[in-house]
């Protein structure tokens, strides 16, 4: 039997979590960023949501966007992806 929350998620589409506030939203409500490649030092915005690679999601809240500028957690998660160290 599928829990009620999972039934709702299937009807809405994929559910993802904001890396800053840790709240869950439908994928369409979030911005997506992918790990840098070729030694870049910043995350790459993914407007299509289909770029291959490790992705991070950010909600549209202004406070989360401000905190995301200082967010360094991606560096650990991207280690070994591309050439980030």
């Amino acid at each position: 039997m599928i829990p009620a929350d999972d039934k709702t998620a299937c009807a809405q589409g994929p559910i993802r979590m904001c890396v800053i506030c840790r709240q869950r939203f439908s994928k369409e409500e979030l911005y997506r960023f992918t790990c840098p490649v070729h030694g870049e030092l910043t995350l790459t915005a993914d407007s299509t949501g289909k770029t291959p690679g490790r992705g991070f999601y950010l909600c549209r809240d202004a406070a989360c966007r401000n905190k995301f500028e200082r967010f360094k957690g991606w560096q650990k998660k991207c280690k070994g992806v591309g050439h980030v160290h």
Side-chain angles (χ1 to χ4, degrees), residues 25-78:
F25 299 91
S26 69
K27 187 176 175 181
E28 292 80 30
E29 295 179 62
L30 299 168
Y31 299 114
R32 183 173 189 259
F33 295 86
T34 56
C35 285
V37 293
H38 307 296
E40 296 174 16
L41 297 176
T42 59
L43 293 172
T44 305
D46 177 15
S47 59
T48 66
K50 297 181 181 184
T51 303
R54 175 83 165 133
F56 298 90
Y57 293 89
L58 178 68
C59 71
R60 298 179 187 268
D61 183 43
C64 286
R65 284 194 307 256
N66 290 335
K67 289 179 183 177
F68 189 69
E69 293 173 4
R70 296 181 309 273
F71 175 66
K72 300 294 181 190
W74 64 269
Q75 293 173 341
K76 184 176 180 181
K77 300 289 185 183
C78 291

Side-chain angles (χ1 to χ4, degrees), residues 1-25:
M1 181 175 191
I2 299 174
D5 291 339
D6 289 343
K7 290 179 185 177
T8 305
C10 292
Q12 294 176 346
I15 302 296
R16 302 290 184 261
M17 184 169 50
C18 173
V19 295
I20 302 300
C21 67
R22 315 294 283 178
Q23 291 185 20
R24 297 181 187 279
F25 299 91

